[in-house]
Amino acid sequence: MVSSDMEEVLDGVRVILVTVPASAHRDLARAMAPYLQAGQIIILNPGRTLGAVEFQHVLRENGAPPGLTVAETETFIFASRRVEPGVSRINRVKRKVHLAALPAYRTASVLRQVRHVLPQFVAAANVLETGLSNIGAIFHPAPTLLNAGWIESASQFDYYHQGITRGVARALERVDEERLAIAESYRVRAVPARRWLAAVYGTRADDLYTAIQRTRAYGGLKSPASLEHRYVFEDVPMSLVPLADLARAAGRSAPVMESLITIACALTGVDWVKKGRTLSSVGLGGMGVEEIIDFVKVGLRKVPHPQTRTTSSWNGETVASDAEAFMGPDAP
Amino acid sequence: MVSSDMEEVLDGVRVILVTVPASAHRDLARAMAPYLQAGQIIILNPGRTLGAVEFQHVLRENGAPPGLTVAETETFIFASRRVEPGVSRINRVKRKVHLAALPAYRTASVLRQVRHVLPQFVAAANVLETGLSNIGAIFHPAPTLLNAGWIESASQFDYYHQGITRGVARALERVDEERLAIAESYRVRAVPARRWLAAVYGTRADDLYTAIQRTRAYGGLKSPASLEHRYVFEDVPMSLVPLADLARAAGRSAPVMESLITIACALTGVDWVKKGRTLSSVGLGGMGVEEIIDFVKVGLRKVPHPQTRTTSSWNGETVASDAEAFMGPDAP
């Protein structure tokens, strides 16, 4: 079935794969909310950073029924390119793609329900781990911004092999260090970009520059034709903005990420922070590290008005009395 | 006389023109200090931002005699390029170049003593005005950093006409707005970059991008061949760093300048803030706007130890009792 009728598409299906740029998640969640049915599973493929949290928050704000499960993957399952509108070429199906549900205790259940069609999906600790494994946050915005004049001069160049020079790679390493430090704050695993290249493409080198230059798969991948490209409009607001905000909530600074965001705003004249995912815009405003970790694990958040305090328990464990369960009874 | 013997060069001359990248001012001041003689005038041509303040501070730290006057110009008096080592081509002598002495009340005296050889020099209010009129801070670092990959790919391109695209020009406008806001805080005049192009080159347009594209004099000016270029190593530490610090002391933010500095550090692996001019490194640490303005006007600074308090007066006006005169008796 090919359809743009949301009600028709969603009716009676068990698992919904959402494969759009993360900048469209908010609008899509709003459009889906009225037609979702209890027990359905939504998988953002991928979520970028804080995707599942934002999606769930927008569903809730728009009256979606309880009993839904939102999950996200750390990267897209296909290595592919659009050939022309409506036609894509899939070069490769990735062998292993991490997935986490929100809350994390539902991850196993989601995997069980999709493994017959998507056996590539394996469990991540929680959506902080998938969000902090967002390698696009490293490889997409910085090289685009640090080649802004080249891109806007309408010259086409090899994005990775020509655009990522020694200096640009040095900047990427700094962004990557900031991402790894944030992951440490939230106690999740994140693989350094250089090790990721070794794992995915088998390219080994002592520094990121050499590793990228040796990655044959990157040969011939062309630069964006303008700054109006998802490397900016998706990866700045949906990757760098939430990463920098997670850093801030953990009392860490992420100066290179913050600078790239500011420069992206200056170059495009768009306020990407306002358009982007912040803890506050995804409903986690004011939370500290421990509260955020609790939230992604068990899906509980502090109740905004103390007079509505409830107590709840999960798996025999009593959970902070100042919290509420969001998604209702566990999905079947 | 051509000589590299500092003592021989400085002996008995009245006016010393210093024409080196601002990143060399500190070392040069240290080398000159032992050989300077009371009454001599040193003109930094140009000073970039806080040049005269740094120069005077380093002279003082290195035991230069009292009775010296340090001044700076807002830009270099020649429109010129080096053709080969030892040979320069002067395209044009600028008709009017602003100059200020530190302290400002000596500006008139400096101009009187140089006008028979350098009639182009005219008075600026003080060294904050010359430092905040530093147009290189706008046109040099941002386009270089936002074309970092292009530059490092060893492609040569027209720096102004190809490197300053619509997006890059948008970023320059933001940097320029920050500079104008700082000037306002310190109550000095600064001409917007777009109006500066109109005044100097006669190019008029509604936006900076169009004005730069219409500036014929910029045609054919080639991009730096690497990031190890004075557009980075001079203009980041000696222009952007002190401008951002002046903003901070005035309680203003200069987010785009700060971001460019951070990005420059990440790209080059050099700590430009540490190598650069800050209020603290030029001896004005901890001062607020009013103290800084007083300092550039009358050359007085707060005495670090209250027990050494002195009172002083100038032109019949009694000056803050908590201050000391720095440069000794007025130069003859």
Side-chain angles (χ1 to χ4, degrees):
Chain A
M1 174 172 67
V2 172
S3 172
S4 59
D5 180 329
M6 196 60 88
E7 187 168 9
E8 184 184 26
V9 166
L10 299 181
D11 186 46
V13 300
R14 160 146 286 187
V15 179
I16 301 153
L17 284 182
V18 170
T19 302
V20 294
S23 39
H25 283 161
R26 178 169 283 273
D27 288 344
L28 198 65
R30 205 176 284 125
M32 284 166 67
Y35 308 110
L36 288 167
Q37 295 153 2
Q40 288 182 321
I41 294 169
I42 299 151
I43 302 175
L44 307 181
N45 185 17
R48 300 294 168 197
T49 301
L50 295 183
V53 180
E54 180 186 61
F55 212 91
Q56 195 189 66
H57 177 66
V58 177
L59 289 183
R60 183 194 206 192
E61 282 187 327
N62 288 273
L68 298 169
T69 300
V70 180
E72 65 177 30
T73 62
E74 69 181 327
T75 181
F76 189 38
I77 189 169
F78 300 130
S80 57
R81 279 285 182 282
R82 193 190 62 175
V83 179
E84 56 182 89
V87 182
S88 293
R89 189 184 57 235
I90 296 172
N91 291 339
R92 210 162 59 99
V93 180
K94 291 174 191 162
R95 272 187 292 183
K96 215 167 95 172
V97 172
H98 284 89
L99 173 147
L102 179 68
Y105 67 80
R106 293 198 188 151
T107 300
S109 152
V110 170
L111 290 176
R112 245 191 334 271
Q113 291 178 73
V114 300
R115 73 180 158 202
H116 59 292
V117 280
L118 291 161
Q120 297 84 2
F121 289 169
V122 297
N126 56 48
V127 296
L128 289 169
E129 187 172 298
T130 48
L132 284 157
S133 300
N134 175 2
I135 205 81
I138 310 305
F139 287 154
H140 295 166
T144 302
L145 301 171
L146 298 176
N147 284 294
W150 203 0
I151 287 169
E152 286 200 306
S153 290
S155 335
Q156 281 254 300
F157 56 92
D158 263 28
Y159 181 75
Y160 285 90
H161 287 169
Q162 291 183 282
I164 302 182
T165 54
R166 284 210 179 273
V168 174
R170 222 177 273 127
L172 297 197
E173 279 184 324
R174 292 284 313 281
V175 182
D176 203 39
E177 283 161 19
E178 292 179 356
R179 178 179 66 95
L180 299 175
I182 302 165
E184 203 186 309
S185 287
Y186 289 91
R187 301 199 296 278
V188 292
R189 179 201 66 113
V191 178
R194 195 158 58 81
R195 261 180 47 210
W196 184 88
L197 286 175
V200 172
Y201 296 110
T203 39
R204 271 160 228 287
D206 287 342
D207 60 87
L208 189 57
Y209 171 73
T210 311
I212 290 168
Q213 295 299 321
R214 285 183 188 163
T215 299
R216 291 220 185 147
Y218 285 157
L221 288 184
K222 287 294 164 203
S223 58
S226 84
L227 298 180
E228 286 180 49
H229 186 274
R230 70 183 170 88
Y231 286 4
V232 175
F233 76 61
E234 179 179 19
D235 288 293
V236 174
M238 304 298 154
S239 300
L240 292 185
V241 168
L243 285 171
D245 210 37
L246 283 167
R248 222 172 286 124
R252 281 194 183 268
S253 65
V256 184
M257 287 183 183
E258 297 275 10
S259 297
L260 291 169
I261 295 165
T262 301
I263 296 291
C265 297
L267 275 167
T268 58
V270 174
D271 186 343
W272 294 113
V273 178
K274 207 170 151 192
K275 282 187 179 274
R277 284 180 190 149
T278 57
L279 288 170
S280 162
S281 83
V282 302
L284 308 185
M287 282 194 188
V289 167
E290 296 309 323
E291 284 171 295
I292 293 169
I293 293 174
D294 280 353
F295 173 74
V296 300
K297 277 187 187 165
V298 297
L300 301 171
R301 74 179 80 205
K302 290 228 172 173
V303 175
H305 307 293
Q307 65 272 26
T308 61
R309 282 181 173 211
T310 57
T311 52
S312 38
S313 71
W314 172 70
N315 252 2
E317 211 184 339
T318 301
V319 186
S321 67
D322 203 17
E324 60 172 340
F326 164 43
M327 292 303 280
D330 202 353
Chain B
M1 173 172 66
V2 174
S3 172
S4 58
D5 181 329
M6 196 59 88
E7 186 167 9
E8 186 185 23
V9 167
L10 297 182
D11 185 45
V13 301
R14 162 146 284 188
V15 178
I16 301 153
L17 284 182
V18 171
T19 302
V20 293
S23 39
H25 283 160
R26 178 169 282 273
D27 289 344
L28 198 66
R30 206 179 281 126
M32 285 167 66
Y35 309 111
L36 287 168
Q37 295 153 1
Q40 288 182 323
I41 293 168
I42 299 152
I43 301 175
L44 308 182
N45 185 18
R48 299 292 167 197
T49 301
L50 296 182
V53 178
E54 178 185 60
F55 211 92
Q56 195 190 67
H57 177 66
V58 177
L59 289 182
R60 181 192 207 195
E61 281 188 327
N62 289 274
L68 297 170
T69 301
V70 180
E72 67 177 31
T73 61
E74 69 182 327
T75 181
F76 189 38
I77 189 169
F78 300 131
S80 57
R81 279 287 181 281
R82 193 189 63 174
V83 180
E84 55 183 90
V87 181
S88 293
R89 188 184 58 234
I90 296 173
N91 291 339
R92 210 160 59 99
V93 180
K94 291 175 191 161
R95 273 187 292 183
K96 216 167 98 174
V97 172
H98 284 90
L99 174 146
L102 178 67
Y105 67 81
R106 293 200 188 148
T107 300
S109 153
V110 170
L111 290 176
R112 245 191 332 272
Q113 292 177 74
V114 300
R115 72 177 158 204
H116 59 292
V117 281
L118 291 161
Q120 297 83 3
F121 289 169
V122 297
N126 56 47
V127 296
L128 290 169
E129 185 172 299
T130 47
L132 284 158
S133 300
N134 176 1
I135 205 81
I138 310 304
F139 287 153
H140 295 167
T144 302
L145 302 171
L146 299 176
N147 285 292
W150 202 0
I151 287 170
E152 286 201 306
S153 291
S155 337
Q156 282 254 301
F157 56 92
D158 264 29
Y159 180 75
Y160 285 90
H161 286 170
Q162 292 183 280
I164 302 182
T165 53
R166 284 208 179 273
V168 175
R170 221 177 275 127
L172 297 197
E173 280 185 324
R174 291 285 313 278
V175 182
D176 202 41
E177 283 161 18
E178 291 178 357
R179 179 179 65 94
L180 299 174
I182 302 165
E184 202 187 311
S185 287
Y186 289 92
R187 302 199 295 276
V188 292
R189 179 201 66 114
V191 179
R194 195 158 58 83
R195 259 180 46 209
W196 183 89
L197 286 175
V200 172
Y201 296 110
T203 38
R204 272 161 228 286
D206 287 341
D207 61 88
L208 189 56
Y209 172 74
T210 311
I212 291 168
Q213 294 299 321
R214 285 184 188 162
T215 300
R216 290 221 185 146
Y218 285 157
L221 288 184
K222 287 294 164 202
S223 58
S226 84
L227 297 180
E228 286 180 48
H229 185 275
R230 69 181 171 89
Y231 286 4
V232 176
F233 76 62
E234 179 179 20
D235 288 293
V236 174
M238 304 300 156
S239 301
L240 291 186
V241 168
L243 285 171
D245 211 35
L246 283 167
R248 223 172 285 124
R252 279 194 184 269
S253 65
V256 184
M257 288 184 182
E258 298 276 10
S259 297
L260 290 169
I261 295 165
T262 301
I263 296 289
C265 298
L267 276 167
T268 58
V270 175
D271 186 343
W272 295 113
V273 177
K274 207 171 152 190
K275 283 188 178 271
R277 285 179 189 148
T278 57
L279 287 169
S280 163
S281 83
V282 302
L284 308 186
M287 283 193 187
V289 167
E290 296 308 323
E291 285 171 294
I292 293 169
I293 293 174
D294 280 353
F295 173 74
V296 300
K297 275 187 188 164
V298 297
L300 302 170
R301 74 178 82 204
K302 289 227 171 172
V303 175
H305 307 294
Q307 65 271 26
T308 61
R309 281 182 172 213
T310 57
T311 52
S312 39
S313 71
W314 171 69
N315 253 1
E317 212 183 337
T318 303
V319 185
S321 65
D322 202 18
E324 60 171 343
F326 164 42
M327 293 302 281
D330 203 352

